[in-house]
Amino acid sequence: MNYPRCSFIAIVDPKDNKEKVMYKKRILIIEDEEMIADLEKEILEGEGFEVEVTRNGAEGLERIKQNGYDVIIADFQMPKMRGDEFYLEVKNLSRNLEKRIIFVSASINDFIESTGNRFLVKPFSNQQLTQVVKDFIASIETQP
């Protein structure tokens, strides 16, 4: 299993004035529309995340094999590999890795609903994007 590579940040806790080290969450965006991908990247980097972008599902799958990501934001209608194919390929890589996928689509279909994964419907706001990512990260950090 590939674990996320870590970029560390040091913060000082004002309660005890001690330095604490935290790692930045890593996100992979898979989006063929350059303008949308760049905007998502800018928004999420502004929230303190480390973000990488690929333009299609096949490229995204290769990145996942080489690197670890905390969150994978994937357009459902991608070139070279549809969202359902991508999901199944990711699922075959490692147990529960597919649960890190947040789908983005103009409309939600039966497949997306059947996964139980989080999703965003285009168009979505900056706040909706950051909220779904933060909610997902909070949910995995509270798991045993």
Side-chain angles (χ1 to χ4, degrees):
M1 178 173 176
N2 287 334
Y3 292 95
R5 286 185 321 199
C6 300
S7 292
F8 292 95
I9 56 173
I11 59 170
V12 176
D13 187 339
K15 293 177 189 169
D16 58 13
N17 208 29
K18 291 185 179 178
E19 190 174 273
K20 296 182 180 184
V21 176
M22 300 176 64
Y23 87 93
K24 293 173 91 173
K25 301 295 185 192
R26 297 188 74 235
I27 299 175
L28 176 65
I29 295 173
I30 307 167
E31 173 62 66
D32 59 312
E33 293 185 45
E34 187 174 354
M35 190 170 75
I36 292 173
D38 290 346
L39 183 59
E40 290 175 355
K41 183 177 194 257
E42 183 179 324
I43 292 165
L44 294 170
E45 284 178 339
E47 293 290 326
F49 298 108
E50 184 178 326
V51 183
E52 293 180 27
V53 175
T54 64
R55 299 289 183 228
N56 64 65
E59 213 176 275
L61 195 58
E62 287 307 308
R63 288 269 186 101
I64 292 166
K65 289 177 184 176
Q66 297 168 7
N67 304 294
Y69 296 96
D70 298 291
V71 181
I72 303 160
I73 299 174
D75 187 12
F76 195 80
Q77 297 298 325
M78 300 181 280
K80 298 187 182 180
M81 187 180 293
R82 291 186 326 264
D84 53 348
E85 296 169 317
F86 176 76
Y87 177 90
L88 295 173
E89 289 291 330
V90 170
K91 187 175 183 175
N92 287 332
L93 290 178
S94 179
R95 185 170 179 253
N96 291 327
L97 185 60
E98 77 281 3
K99 294 301 178 191
R100 296 182 190 187
I101 299 170
I102 297 173
F103 287 109
V104 177
S105 184
S107 62
I108 301 308
N109 59 42
D110 290 341
F111 181 83
I112 293 173
E113 286 185 343
S114 75
T115 67
N117 284 35
R118 296 171 198 271
F119 58 84
L120 287 166
V121 179
K122 291 180 183 177
F124 50 84
S125 69
N126 298 4
Q127 188 204 11
Q128 287 172 312
L129 173 63
T130 57
Q131 195 61 54
V132 74
V133 170
K134 287 178 178 181
D135 287 350
F136 173 75
I137 289 171
S139 76
I140 60 172
E141 288 180 340
T142 57
Q143 291 177 354

